[in-house]
Amino acid sequence: MRKRGLVLFDLDSTLIEEETLDELAKLAGVEEEVKRITRDAMEGRINYEESLKRRVSLLKGLAVEDVMKVVSRLKLTKGARETVEELKSRGYVVGVISGGFTIVTDRVKGDLDLDYAYANELVFRDGKLSGEVRGRVMSPSAKGDILEEIAGREKIDLKDTIVVGD
């Protein structure tokens, strides 16, 4: 079957109901600080990468078991599974690109049989979050670059791509 196109979804409040960072911030007791930094980024006072690093640093010390409990409670958005199944049955390449975290996108990729998953990688040391991220930061411009990379790899014209997000 010919590939009909590429559909990339955002994760938080799109494929899943929750905002992962907010849920982890609640666990760490830093919800208000995280919301303030998010607001600063949305209003252009700090860039995305800086805001991500600041927010993740507030999660330092969370135990991996507690983080994974939060991840296991995140719910797929109503209709996400059916939408992805329908797209794949029609020959679309489907993925997720998120400013969230690989610990969630990897789970969702497996649950929904997605072709691609990209997100920020949290660093764990000695069973706890280190407060750092590693690898390519999933900024808005990085998301566009990845869209182009996947389309090129899959030989899909950019006019045959769709991005879905909040």
Side-chain angles (χ1 to χ4, degrees):
M1 178 188 319
R2 173 178 106 64
K3 293 175 189 148
R4 300 184 82 176
L6 169 63
V7 181
L8 295 177
F9 290 91
D10 188 18
L11 176 72
D12 297 294
S13 298
T14 304
L15 282 181
I16 64 170
E17 292 180 3
E18 303 85 359
E19 292 284 329
T20 304
L21 189 53
D22 291 349
E23 296 303 309
L24 293 173
K26 285 179 198 169
L27 177 65
V30 294
E31 190 175 12
E32 289 310 311
E33 293 98 313
V34 165
K35 284 183 178 181
R36 182 185 49 74
I37 295 167
T38 301
R39 205 169 29 251
D40 286 350
M42 298 290 230
E43 293 172 1
R45 287 195 282 277
I46 55 175
N47 71 30
Y48 178 80
E49 187 167 351
E50 179 63 24
S51 76
L52 176 69
K53 288 179 178 179
R54 285 186 192 177
R55 291 178 290 170
V56 169
S57 73
L58 295 170
L59 304 177
K60 183 177 181 174
L62 285 179
V64 66
E65 304 84 32
D66 295 332
V67 169
M68 296 316 290
K69 282 181 195 167
V70 168
V71 169
S72 71
R73 288 194 301 260
L74 300 173
K75 295 182 202 74
L76 289 176
T77 302
K78 185 175 191 236
R81 182 176 308 284
E82 296 80 1
T83 301
V84 169
E85 287 172 356
E86 183 64 22
L87 288 167
K88 290 186 69 77
S89 77
R90 291 174 181 248
Y92 285 85
V93 174
V94 183
V96 59
I97 300 180
S98 175
F101 306 108
T102 56
I103 57 171
V104 184
T105 57
D106 290 351
R107 187 195 105 201
V108 170
K109 180 180 188 240
D111 288 352
L112 296 179
D113 191 30
L114 300 175
D115 300 297
Y116 292 94
Y118 291 85
N120 299 298
E121 186 179 353
L122 293 170
V123 177
F124 290 91
R125 280 197 196 98
D126 301 319
K128 296 182 186 294
L129 281 179
S130 71
E132 303 163 304
V133 290
R134 80 168 133 235
R136 185 179 195 176
V137 171
M138 292 299 117
S139 66
S141 62
K143 289 180 176 185
D145 294 343
I146 290 169
L147 169 74
E148 291 179 9
E149 289 169 20
I150 296 171
R153 186 177 313 133
E154 296 287 345
K155 298 181 179 20
I156 295 171
D157 194 297
L158 286 177
K159 70 178 177 43
D160 296 322
T161 64
I162 300 168
V163 293
V164 181
D166 61 350

